[in-house]
Amino acid sequence: MDSEHIRDEVLARLEIERAVREQLTRQQSEPSVPSGTGIRTWLDSKFGLLLIGAVISGVLVPTFQFTQEEIRWHRQNRYNNLERQLGSMRESLKQFIAVQALSAELYDLGLAVLDTPVAAADRPQREQWRKELRALQARRVQQNAVFAATVFYFPGAAQQPIRTAWNDLMRPAQQLQACVGELLGESGPLSGAKKSADKAVDANEVAVRLDSSLAEVNQAYERVLSMLRQQLIEVEHESWKFQ
């Protein structure tokens, strides 16, 4: 409400008060004459009309304007809160996608180990792989903690289902990491035909488990991703109502 509008309202109220005082002064100075009685007659009089106008302009109109301003304030406040929540939810989604990227890096590391012939995997190379694995493990722990801390940004009713689906994702992701660790935990090149054959069989088994774990990770990942996106859509729709 700007200053000109406030000034106009003040002037209007002063004019009403002046008219009421003039009407009272005239009634006191004029001789009393028989007139009708009752509420209806009083309402039809000039004095009654003036008082009604004063009540409307002085009480009802400001109350209505205040109520409208309060409603607008609540709508704007709700919209701002939803926009902040949406920003946090989008950030949470980005952190979750980063978690899946680390699972893909683990799988690629496992493939690199499997695709390298035993004779070519010298000690420095295997040590380098182990360093990469330890780095990936540390990054996974950190990234998992970052995402887990953002779940509370989502609506309360959705938080527990998201955490449950998230826990379902952690199991195959841990199995994937264990498969890569198993590959790198083996000793150097084996000698003898039988040991080489046993080595090949073990590698094949680990390769099957590696692929199986990745498939489970992807399936669980899509389930959590779908839940996060659905919550984003619902909050966005609610936000649009307050624009």
Side-chain angles (χ1 to χ4, degrees):
M1 188 178 296
D2 55 22
S3 58
E4 292 186 0
H5 185 67
I6 295 175
R7 185 192 61 190
D8 292 341
E9 283 196 354
V10 171
L11 292 176
R13 293 178 188 179
L14 291 174
E15 179 63 23
I16 292 173
E17 292 177 1
R18 185 190 62 77
V20 170
R21 284 195 296 269
E22 290 180 355
Q23 179 68 15
L24 288 174
T25 302
R26 285 196 299 270
Q27 287 184 350
Q28 290 175 355
S29 62
E30 293 176 355
S32 59
V33 295
S35 60
T37 60
I39 297 298
R40 185 182 184 87
T41 302
W42 183 84
L43 291 176
D44 289 338
S45 67
K46 293 181 179 180
F47 180 66
L49 293 175
L50 286 172
L51 286 180
I52 292 173
V55 170
I56 292 176
S57 63
V59 178
L60 298 182
V61 172
T63 300
F64 174 77
Q65 291 174 340
F66 174 78
T67 302
Q68 291 297 105
E69 289 295 330
E70 187 175 21
I71 291 173
R72 282 194 291 269
W73 180 83
H74 281 296
R75 288 178 62 88
Q76 185 63 41
N77 190 50
R78 179 59 176 161
Y79 174 76
N80 292 340
N81 289 338
L82 288 172
E83 284 298 300
R84 285 193 294 269
Q85 183 182 15
L86 281 172
S88 299
M89 291 169 66
R90 293 186 183 105
E91 178 63 23
S92 177
L93 180 60
K94 183 172 71 174
Q95 298 299 334
F96 175 69
I97 294 173
V99 171
Q100 181 66 3
L102 292 175
S103 295
E105 289 187 47
L106 272 172
Y107 180 76
D108 290 341
L109 178 58
L111 288 183
V113 177
L114 286 171
D115 292 343
T116 303
V118 175
D122 55 10
R123 186 179 184 85
Q125 176 62 72
R126 298 182 70 81
E127 184 59 31
Q128 178 61 33
W129 284 335
R130 291 190 182 98
K131 288 181 180 179
E132 293 180 15
L133 176 60
R134 287 192 292 268
L136 281 172
Q137 289 172 334
R139 288 169 58 196
R140 282 190 69 242
V141 171
Q142 181 180 9
Q143 192 60 44
N144 288 343
V146 170
F147 170 72
T150 64
V151 174
F152 77 92
Y153 290 129
F154 290 82
Q159 292 180 14
Q160 188 55 46
I162 291 174
R163 291 191 178 97
T164 300
W166 166 251
N167 290 333
D168 292 340
L169 171 61
M170 289 297 96
R171 285 190 289 270
Q174 188 62 35
Q175 292 172 1
L176 178 65
Q177 179 176 298
C179 288
V180 179
E182 184 177 342
L183 286 171
L184 293 175
E186 295 173 347
S187 58
L190 301 176
S191 59
K194 185 176 184 305
K195 289 186 178 181
S196 297
D198 292 342
K199 176 74 173 180
V201 170
D202 293 341
N204 287 336
E205 290 177 354
V206 174
V208 170
R209 285 192 282 117
L210 194 69
D211 289 340
S212 176
S213 297
L214 181 65
E216 292 182 23
V217 166
N218 289 337
Q219 184 177 6
Y221 167 78
E222 289 297 332
R223 184 162 56 252
V224 179
L225 184 63
S226 177
M227 295 175 67
L228 300 183
R229 286 175 172 171
Q230 180 61 34
Q231 292 302 314
L232 268 172
I233 292 173
E234 291 181 4
V235 175
E236 284 175 349
H237 285 171
E238 185 177 359
S239 174
W240 293 342
K241 297 177 184 179
F242 295 94
Q243 288 183 349

